[in-house]
Amino acid sequence: MPAHAPVPDVSAGSALTTGSAVTTGSGASAPARPGGGDPLGRERAHLAASRSALRAMREDVQSLDIKDVTANWVNAAVLQAQIEQRIEALADLAHTPLFFGRLDYLPTTQEGRRPAPEAHERTLYIGRRHVHDAQGDPMVIDWRAPVSQPFYRASRKDPQDVGLRRRFGYTGGDLTAYEDEHLTDPSEAEQTSKLLQAEIERPRVGPMRDIVATIQPEQDEIVRSGLSGTVCVQGGPGTGKTAVGLHRVAYLLYAHRERLARTGTLVIGPNRSFLHYIEQVLPALGELEVKQSTVDDLVAQVDVRGEDCAAAAVVKGDARMAEVLRRAVRAHVTMPTEPVVVVRGSRRWRVPAYELEEIVRELLDRDIRYGAGREALPQRIAHTVLVRMEQAGEAPDDRVQDSVARNTAVKAAVKAIWPPVDPAKLVLRLLSDAEFLAAHADGILTSEEQSTILFGKPPRSAKSAKWSLADAVLIDEAADLVQRTQSLGHVVLDEAQDLSPMQYRAVGRRCSTGSATVLGDLAQGTTPWATGSWAEALSHLGKPDAAVEELTAGFRVPREVIAYASRLLPHMSPGLAAVSSVRETPGSLSVRAVREVADLDADVVAACTQALEKEGSIGLIAADSRVPALAAALTGAGLPHLSPGEETTAESRLTLVPASLAKGLEYDHVVLEEPATIVASEPDLRTGLRRLYVALTRAVSGLTVLHAKALPPELG
């Protein structure tokens, strides 16, 4: 039996369809067009044939003999690795359906008149990967192919030559249902898709699922947007923004595979637990090479063993620190006061100090990386010496210039003028030496801000320093000032609203010559440095011209729950549109007052026990300070429970979640304890309300709120 587990805050599916025929189980169904007889049986037969064809495709690759194909062992190893990757990509995953939809196209008539709805010219099956038969004819079309786009975009107003769109439902890997929509039949009434509703409400089992079968038109536009442009997606809880970002990666790898194979792709999440939950989405779509990371892992050049207070973290994360670091790095350059004398044989070649200064100032004016300038300086000095040689009648070549650049006198001059800089030691000096910091933060940071970020007790060395996460970002910035950070082809940045300006800069360096997909919700920003606007964030990222798209249709959180949580929006994020959920689930919200504070633990245990009688995962969310007491109460009641990130099992489906770690997770049923305490645990009211908003929107099927204190007045 598969384990039940919370998965990230993403929509399990997102579409509204109309159904004229739904068949389930053994195949009994209402009449469906086109054809008659046993449509479900025919679809099952096509599924079986497609699986057989996929196995044949895999066997063809496995049978390849490359023994005498390549010229050397290096090429052979590379080719073998590519073959093994192809074999893995062609694996038939038992619980991942090969196709999820079908398009029946209308024939084209010479008269231009619409044919009868029953007439169909060709049929295409849309799935997660391409499958062809022995003759090379397609049996399943990859969802990313241009010909598959009408499955997501066609409508009654614009059918795009599609007469029938069929959606399939699966139980495990077995095809058990289908649902038809006749786009050109005016007599067919529009209805909500029952298959979609069932998919969304299916209990949270295992890691995050893809939404490839239920992508909505507005989501599809984002998914298929071009590689050259950066896209920022603002989306409230349950709008599917994370899934949209992952599916965009899969689409870009399909459309620009050769380019991205060279430059690379990266998915950045808020924490490793989140990345663990989403790690199966891209492999299920046939993409195996996309790397994942957190921002903290990206900048991990030192061991992080310390923690900043909120005030220090805010200053260190401020974009102004970039200029402080730039000044500090460039301050290592010293103008020459002595000439350089190069001895070659019996000749001495002299470069006076004023010429050296001209070279140094020219390099500084070009504003190139510090390391690049240090590498260019000896070559520029050597070039000046070569000019002297040519003027004296000699004919030196490039080998002579390289030799002069390695001359002892030149190397000594470079070390004195443009010494090497260690990024960690530079940041250590800035945060330890008040005079050094004041010299380079003058006019940028106030004296109070400078005092805030200084070490209380200066460390003896960079290795012994108790670096914080914000310090690691500063070191990464300094490292980029010395040597350019390698850029990737595309980066997906999720939960971006919680990044500091300096963290945005760290991510932006990783896609300076590529593009990005930025995902987040301003209403869920809970850090002291949370993003105020996407325009500001994108500017720090280095992508000020990025398109900002907003997703407002929710599919995961029930309408009653999201409406209750949205009461907080005017008080924490005024002007931000509330999510409009398509799911109306009566009874999904319960708010109960407990008479005595002493009874709260017992009522929470009772609510969890009641939730465990239902199917699916249960999350008990409370203020961080309440977690030890609740853990003891659950243990005393004999209720096993887990911590966030641990895999749930059939025997242990309850997770005790500190409110600070709830972001990005979702559970079938949520028990939320004492909203007022969650709000009061944060340093200010707005951050507290945002933390509560996140906690309230983790439920997929039902939310129970228990409180002994008065509810925050912002809840109404």
Side-chain angles (χ1 to χ4, degrees):
M1 179 176 180
H4 296 277
V7 295
D9 174 12
V10 294
S11 168
S14 48
L16 285 179
T17 64
T18 62
S20 61
V22 176
T23 180
T24 59
S26 61
S29 67
R33 296 168 298 187
D38 181 15
L40 187 61
R42 290 196 298 273
E43 301 296 13
R44 286 171 170 166
H46 186 77
L47 176 61
S50 298
R51 288 195 182 282
S52 177
L54 181 61
R55 285 195 298 272
M57 291 170 60
R58 196 166 192 254
E59 290 167 359
D60 286 344
V61 180
Q62 290 173 323
S63 65
L64 291 175
D65 183 2
I66 62 169
K67 183 170 55 178
D68 299 321
V69 173
T70 57
N72 53 59
W73 70 268
V74 176
N75 291 341
V78 172
L79 183 56
Q80 185 61 44
Q82 293 174 340
I83 290 174
E84 291 173 358
Q85 182 180 342
R86 177 63 175 162
I87 292 171
E88 187 178 357
L90 289 172
D92 186 4
L93 305 178
H95 296 287
T96 303
L98 279 185
F99 57 81
F100 48 79
R102 175 179 132 182
L103 294 176
D104 289 359
Y105 281 86
L106 296 171
T108 304
T109 60
Q110 292 183 350
E111 296 80 6
R113 289 178 292 183
R114 282 189 174 182
E118 294 84 356
H120 297 94
E121 184 177 58
R122 59 177 175 145
T123 296
L124 300 178
Y125 286 84
I126 312 302
R128 288 169 172 78
R129 65 190 66 193
H130 174 85
V131 180
H132 60 256
D133 61 18
Q135 289 72 44
D137 296 325
M139 300 186 72
V140 180
I141 303 294
D142 194 303
W143 68 276
R144 297 166 290 187
V147 72
S148 300
Q149 185 169 307
F151 183 80
Y152 303 106
R153 303 279 186 95
S155 64
R156 293 182 180 278
K157 292 183 179 180
D158 180 21
Q160 301 185 25
D161 296 326
V162 175
L164 178 141
R165 174 166 51 203
R166 174 169 289 179
R167 301 180 188 273
F168 297 105
Y170 288 83
T171 302
D174 298 326
L175 197 162
T176 56
Y178 72 87
E179 193 172 54
D180 285 346
E181 181 181 5
H182 298 88
L183 299 180
T184 57
D185 188 351
S187 66
E188 186 175 281
E190 188 168 344
Q191 302 174 20
T192 300
S193 169
K194 295 180 181 178
L195 290 180
L196 171 62
Q197 191 78 5
E199 169 66 17
I200 296 173
E201 296 176 356
R202 180 155 56 100
R204 308 293 93 183
V205 178
M208 173 188 163
R209 303 185 292 266
D210 64 68
I211 64 165
V212 67
T214 52
I215 295 173
Q216 271 288 280
E218 62 269 21
Q219 295 175 324
D220 189 61
E221 289 183 11
I222 298 172
V223 167
R224 296 178 190 267
S225 54
L227 176 61
S228 59
T230 290
V231 177
C232 175
V233 182
Q234 158 65 38
T239 55
K241 55 185 178 294
T242 295
V244 166
L246 293 175
H247 286 67
R248 187 178 183 220
V249 171
Y251 171 77
L252 292 175
L253 286 168
Y254 175 88
H256 308 279
R257 187 168 304 280
E258 185 176 342
R259 176 176 172 184
L260 289 178
R262 295 194 310 270
T263 56
T265 54
L266 176 67
V267 175
I268 302 174
N271 52 61
R272 292 178 183 176
S273 295
F274 180 92
L275 295 175
H276 173 68
Y277 288 128
I278 68 172
E279 66 184 359
Q280 294 303 317
V281 173
L282 289 169
L285 299 174
E287 301 301 340
L288 308 172
E289 296 299 310
V290 179
K291 296 181 180 180
Q292 297 182 342
S293 177
T294 64
V295 175
D296 297 340
D297 290 336
L298 280 183
V299 300
Q301 301 186 37
V302 293
D303 291 332
V304 174
R305 298 183 291 121
E307 188 173 348
D308 289 313
C309 66
V314 169
V315 177
K316 290 179 180 179
D318 195 295
R320 293 175 296 165
M321 288 299 299
E323 177 60 22
V324 175
L325 289 166
R326 192 187 74 86
R327 289 183 181 181
V329 168
R330 289 168 65 93
H332 285 75
V333 178
T334 304
M335 290 301 165
T337 57
E338 299 291 333
V340 171
V341 179
V342 177
V343 178
R344 285 184 61 81
S346 60
R347 302 293 299 270
R348 296 164 59 89
W349 307 97
R350 184 174 182 276
V351 181
Y354 75 88
E355 283 196 38
L356 293 174
E357 182 176 342
E358 289 177 358
I359 294 172
V360 172
R361 291 193 182 282
E362 181 185 353
L363 289 174
L364 289 173
D365 290 343
R366 289 170 57 189
D367 202 24
I368 57 178
R369 294 294 195 282
Y370 185 90
R374 191 170 189 275
E375 292 172 1
L377 180 57
Q379 291 293 333
R380 294 297 303 275
I381 295 174
H383 176 73
T384 302
V385 172
L386 258 66
V387 171
R388 298 276 198 281
M389 292 179 177
E390 290 172 348
Q391 290 173 343
E394 296 189 15
D397 55 18
D398 291 343
R399 289 175 297 177
V400 174
Q401 179 167 331
D402 290 339
S403 175
V404 172
R406 295 191 300 269
N407 182 273
T408 302
V410 173
K411 290 168 69 175
V414 170
K415 185 176 181 180
I417 298 169
W418 210 298
V421 171
D422 181 282
K425 291 180 180 178
L426 172 72
V427 173
L428 178 64
R429 186 180 177 189
L430 269 177
L431 302 181
S432 304
D433 187 337
E435 292 185 2
F436 186 70
L437 176 61
H440 302 298
D442 182 41
I444 300 176
L445 302 180
T446 66
S447 57
E448 182 180 356
E449 289 173 326
Q450 294 175 35
S451 300
T452 300
I453 63 175
L454 285 170
F455 283 123
K457 182 180 179 181
R460 287 177 297 178
S461 67
K463 288 185 177 180
S464 65
K466 290 187 176 181
W467 297 110
S468 68
L469 292 173
D471 295 335
V473 177
L474 294 179
I475 294 171
D476 188 73
E477 178 84 24
D480 183 71
L481 288 168
V482 174
Q483 201 72 39
R484 182 184 296 276
T485 304
Q486 183 180 359
S487 175
L488 299 168
H490 191 77
V491 170
V492 174
L493 175 62
D494 207 350
E495 298 293 349
Q497 72 279 347
D498 276 334
L499 268 60
S500 70
M502 291 299 287
Q503 286 176 316
Y504 277 116
R505 290 177 61 88
V507 175
R509 288 191 283 277
R510 271 75 184 181
C511 56
S512 59
T513 59
S515 58
T517 301
V518 181
L519 312 165
D521 179 13
L522 297 177
Q524 296 186 56
T526 52
T527 56
W529 49 83
T531 301
S533 71
W534 289 123
E536 177 186 349
L538 292 168
S539 176
H540 294 313
L541 190 70
K543 309 291 184 183
D545 298 327
V548 180
E549 305 287 348
E550 188 170 8
L551 296 175
T552 58
F555 305 94
R556 178 179 56 79
V557 185
R559 186 178 301 173
E560 295 78 5
V561 174
I562 195 65
Y564 184 66
S566 294
R567 296 180 183 183
L568 301 174
L569 284 177
H571 307 281
M572 63 184 196
S573 298
L576 199 63
V579 173
S580 176
S581 177
V582 302
R583 295 177 56 214
E584 187 171 356
T585 312
S588 58
L589 174 65
S590 174
V591 182
R592 302 203 302 263
V594 179
R595 290 186 178 181
E596 300 291 337
V597 175
D599 299 333
L600 189 57
D601 288 0
D603 279 52
V604 168
V605 170
C608 291
T609 302
Q610 185 179 6
L612 285 166
E613 296 174 358
K614 304 173 184 178
E615 189 179 6
S617 57
I618 296 90
L620 170 56
I621 304 178
D624 292 31
S625 60
R626 286 282 295 148
V627 168
L630 290 174
L634 293 173
T635 301
L639 293 181
H641 61 278
L642 305 168
S643 300
E646 294 181 323
E647 287 287 345
T648 59
T649 66
E651 293 74 28
S652 184
R653 296 183 287 120
L654 173 63
T655 303
L656 177 56
V657 187
S660 63
L661 298 180
K663 188 176 299 178
L665 303 177
E666 64 178 22
Y667 302 88
D668 289 291
H669 308 279
V670 168
V671 177
L672 178 66
E673 190 233 40
E674 207 61 271
T677 303
I678 292 176
V679 175
S681 299
E682 298 299 327
D684 57 76
L685 177 62
R686 189 173 79 160
T687 304
L689 293 177
R690 288 183 171 183
R691 185 75 71 191
L692 177 58
Y693 179 77
V694 171
L696 288 169
T697 54
R698 300 305 94 199
V700 175
S701 297
L703 170 66
T704 299
V705 179
L706 297 174
H707 65 99
K709 301 177 182 178
L711 290 171
E714 292 80 7
L715 277 175

